[in-house]
Each structure stands twice: as C-alpha cells, then as structure tokens.
Amino acid sequence: MKQILFFTLLVLLGHIFFTTTLAQSPAAAPKAPEKPAPATPAPATAPAKPLVPSLPQSPSSDSSSGQDIIKILRKAKSFNTLIRLLKTTQIINQINSQLVTTKNGGLTILAPDDGAFLQLKAGYFNSLGERQQKELIQFHVLPVYVSSSNFDSLSNPVLTLASDSPSGYHMNVTAYGNNVNISTGPVNATLTGIVYSDKTLAIYHVDKVLIPLDFSKPKALAPAPSTAKAPKADKDSSSEDGDQGESTKATSGANNLISLQGTMFVSLLVAAVTMFG
C-alpha cells in the first residue's frame, strides 16, 4: 500500500513539474544593436564668384613665369608702356623686394595697358617731376593681395604704395555685380580682367591710368613779403630834422647878410673920415 502511495505521489510531482516547465515562456532573444543612420554629408560651399573676369591671354596657369612681373606683363601683351615706366622709375625693384620679404600680405597691381596711357595728354608723364613720376606708378600698386572675389571686402579709402599718410594718395573701390570700379577723384576706372593671380600676387587690367587727387590740388602760393613801413615817430623826427636844417640855413644866410652889410658900412665910414679929415 505504501509503495502504491509513494509511486502515485512521485507521478503527481513529475506531472506538476513537467506542466510548469511547458507553461513558462521561452527567454526573449537579445536584440541586435541598431545600425546608426548614415550621416548626411554637409552641402559643399560654393566658391565665391569672381568679381573680375579672366582674360584669354592670362598666364596665371603658366608656372614658368613664377612671380616675374615683367615677364608676366610681356606675355599678357599691351603693357609695354607700363613695363618701360616700371623700369625707368625703378619701382619694379621695390615691388620685387616686397614680394620676396612679404609673408601673408602680398601685392595687387592695377595695370593700365598701352591704350590707357595714350588717353593722357601728350607729354603728361614727362611734365611730372621725378618724384611724382615714381608716385604715379606706386599709386597703381596696393600693398595687400586682393583676390578677384574679395574686392567688396576692401575698406575705403584704399591705400597704395604711394600713400605717405592715411589721408594722401588713396582711392575708393566699389564692387557690385560683376564690376569693380575705382575712383581717384580725377579718374573713374574699371577693372576689365585678371592678368595674373596666385596666392600672394594679383595683377588686374585697368582701363585708365589712375591719377591721384593730390596731383590736381593747387599748390599753395608763398605769401608775398610785407613791405616794412617806417614808424611814424621816425617820420616826425625826420620832418623835424628837415625843418631844423632849413631854419639853420635861413639863420646862417641872415647872419652872412648882416655881416656883409656891417663891413660895407664900416668901409664907407672910414672913407668919409679920410675925405673930410
């Protein structure tokens, strides 16, 4: 009997254990790690649009010229007058020296072509003194590098190599649309194209010779020397001296007349005494 009860209890416990195990839900499978969403690439910044167009004959892609300004201008053609003046004034030496020593500043040359120089009055350049001839060429060089798309970032007035002070030998630059205009006072000019450009040197073609406003200012006339007037007291003194001289002369004449009359009277008296004595 005990064996039957023990066996029955054992079967019952096995049934309960088996039923409980089946009733349990299976363990959830681990989630796969989520893949990060692909990053959206930032839109590429469009390069700044040049304000000055390139010229067909621009040698900017020809590395053989380097920064030899004379060679660049010769290859670009139509700049023979500027080349000659750069040499005769020796400003080319100053420009080359600054290009060698500059690190970040660079230079910008505004180059008038031969036709621009022909617009000047005949003999205009030769009518200038040696110093003004140099200043005229220096006036076409900015002591900073300006790329073709950065003319609108310049602050007026723009200084040049000729500027000896913040108020002298400067120009105003206006950039809008695809135009860059330069005003010096006597001249309004336009940049018509890029002759050459790298990271430190830029040469642009300008359609007119830039004349500084300082050249047209009238020179101050030297004040005329004032005529010194004699003091009034001196005049009175001189007048008094003249009066005294005239008075002295009159007195001397009267005395001489009296002396002569006295001598004649004495002579007549002596003659009368002798005659009647």
Side-chain angles (χ1 to χ4, degrees):
M1 184 67 179
K2 291 182 178 180
Q3 292 179 348
I4 295 172
L5 290 174
F6 175 77
F7 179 78
T8 303
L9 182 61
L10 183 63
V11 171
L12 182 60
L13 289 175
H15 176 73
I16 293 172
F17 176 78
F18 180 77
T19 303
T20 304
T21 303
L22 291 177
Q24 290 179 349
S25 59
K31 294 182 179 181
E34 296 181 359
K35 295 183 180 181
T40 303
T45 304
K49 186 176 181 180
L51 296 171
V52 184
S54 297
L55 295 176
Q57 69 272 26
S58 174
S60 56
S61 60
D62 185 1
S63 60
S64 63
S65 297
Q67 289 188 321
D68 189 329
I69 295 171
I70 299 299
K71 186 180 290 186
I72 292 171
L73 291 175
R74 280 179 179 158
K75 285 190 174 183
K77 302 178 181 180
S78 304
F79 295 97
N80 296 319
T81 304
L82 180 60
I83 292 172
R84 177 173 57 83
L85 296 180
L86 282 168
K87 291 181 175 181
T88 56
T89 59
Q90 298 183 353
I91 298 302
I92 187 61
N93 297 334
Q94 178 188 3
I95 295 175
N96 286 334
S97 176
Q98 289 193 226
L99 277 175
V100 171
T101 57
T102 188
K103 293 182 179 180
N104 299 318
L107 291 175
T108 300
I109 300 175
L110 309 176
D113 60 12
D114 296 335
F117 280 99
L118 289 175
Q119 296 177 29
L120 296 175
K121 292 182 180 179
Y124 175 80
F125 189 82
N126 292 331
S127 69
L128 303 175
E130 181 178 349
R131 179 177 177 179
Q132 283 191 318
Q133 289 179 354
K134 291 183 178 182
E135 290 171 343
L136 181 63
I137 302 304
Q138 290 173 323
F139 191 62
H140 290 76
V141 184
L142 309 184
V144 292
Y145 169 76
V146 184
S147 70
S148 61
S149 57
N150 286 344
F151 276 96
D152 54 355
S153 67
L154 294 176
S155 298
N156 291 318
V158 177
L159 301 184
T160 68
L161 284 189
S163 303
D164 52 4
S165 68
S167 60
Y169 293 102
H170 62 259
M171 61 182 63
N172 290 324
V173 177
T174 305
Y176 60 92
N178 290 329
N179 296 314
V180 176
N181 294 333
I182 298 174
S183 174
T184 69
V187 175
N188 291 315
T190 301
L191 298 189
T192 61
I194 304 171
V195 177
Y196 177 88
S197 181
D198 58 23
K199 294 182 179 180
T200 56
L201 172 65
I203 304 176
Y204 299 100
H205 175 221
V206 62
D207 63 351
K208 294 180 182 177
V209 177
L210 306 176
I211 307 296
L213 176 62
D214 305 65
F215 279 24
S216 60
K217 290 180 179 178
K219 296 181 180 179
L221 298 176
S226 58
T227 304
K229 295 182 179 180
K232 191 174 182 180
D234 292 345
K235 283 186 175 182
D236 295 343
S237 175
S238 174
S239 177
E240 291 175 0
D241 292 343
D243 293 343
Q244 289 178 0
E246 294 295 331
S247 177
T248 303
K249 288 180 181 180
T251 304
S252 176
N255 290 338
N256 290 338
L257 180 59
I258 294 173
S259 177
L260 178 60
Q261 290 176 347
T263 303
M264 291 176 64
F265 178 76
V266 172
S267 299
L268 290 174
L269 181 60
V270 172
V273 172
T274 303
M275 184 180 297
F276 295 102

